[in-house]
Amino acid sequence: MLHPRVLYETRDVIAYPLFLIYRISLQCGKVPADWKLAEVTAISLHKNGLKSDRLNYRPVSLTSICCKILASLIRDHIMSYLLENDLLSIKQYGFIKGRSTMLQLLRMTDKWTKYLESGGQIDTIYSDFENAFNKVLHRRLISKLHTYGLHDTITNWVCDFFSSKEV
């Protein structure tokens, strides 16, 4: 794994070869095997429970910076495509610039306040969505990307990215 500092210091030399690797990776719809390797370690931030229990510490996966850069570019491309083609619901918050989950909470609180002030009643159910993104069904996500009309080169790459992640 290349350290980010090495990439930064060699950016003038490595940019074109990295571009070629990215292009081939996308054209083939394959993520290089080395990019799927991760070094997992626990960080010292204690979650909850007994401090002596190793399960109460957050694991961190250190993965390929090159892969993270390409994944970020692909994510940006997908988001641009979805926004330009008006494929996201106006009720979608989080992961969208200018529509954070905090903004959603503020808007809902404002609506509830107005409703209560006019004599209405509100019943709410709170759910804990901790780690919700880790539980997204990858097949369903890929199916949605196909349904939304994203190019096969993108969906094939994303599908391979999700498959056979090694630790």
Side-chain angles (χ1 to χ4, degrees):
M1 250 185 268
L2 287 175
H3 190 279
R5 186 70 182 184
V6 173
L7 283 174
Y8 180 77
E9 294 295 334
T10 62
R11 65 190 177 278
D12 295 335
V13 177
I14 203 168
Y16 187 70
L18 196 54
F19 161 76
L20 294 175
I21 293 169
Y22 285 173
R23 187 172 71 184
I24 292 168
S25 176
L26 280 167
Q27 286 172 343
C28 296
K30 298 287 182 193
V31 177
D34 287 355
W35 289 2
K36 291 185 178 186
L37 299 175
E39 202 174 299
V40 180
T41 186
I43 60 172
S44 61
L45 289 176
H46 180 257
K47 285 194 304 189
N48 53 29
L50 296 173
K51 290 189 176 190
S52 60
D53 185 355
R54 67 179 175 82
L55 297 176
N56 289 325
Y57 291 87
R58 301 180 191 279
V60 174
S61 295
L62 303 174
T63 57
S64 168
I65 297 297
C66 295
C67 187
K68 286 181 181 183
I69 292 169
L70 182 54
S72 175
L73 293 169
I74 290 171
R75 183 205 60 226
D76 292 349
H77 172 77
I78 291 171
M79 287 304 296
S80 292
Y81 177 86
L82 295 174
L83 291 169
E84 288 169 12
N85 291 285
D86 201 26
L87 295 171
L88 295 175
S89 165
I90 60 168
K91 296 177 183 176
Q92 173 68 47
Y93 286 84
F95 305 107
I96 298 177
K97 188 174 184 173
R99 292 202 304 205
S100 68
T101 52
M102 182 58 74
L103 179 60
Q104 179 185 30
L105 180 61
L106 290 171
R107 286 187 176 165
M108 288 307 304
T109 303
D110 188 45
K111 285 182 182 183
W112 292 341
T113 302
K114 287 178 184 174
Y115 191 68
L116 289 171
E117 285 175 349
S118 68
Q121 176 183 332
I122 297 171
D123 298 320
T124 61
I125 298 174
Y126 292 94
S127 298
D128 182 2
F129 291 111
E130 183 180 354
N131 298 319
F133 188 74
N134 296 338
K135 295 179 180 23
V136 169
L137 298 174
H138 295 160
R139 277 191 221 132
R140 185 176 294 165
L141 179 61
I142 298 298
S143 175
K144 283 187 176 249
L145 294 178
H146 278 297
T147 302
Y148 288 150
L150 267 106
H151 199 276
D152 284 345
T153 56
I154 298 293
T155 55
N156 290 341
W157 193 92
V158 172
C159 188
D160 192 63
F161 178 82
F162 286 139
S163 71
S164 303
K165 284 284 207 178
E166 297 180 26
V167 178

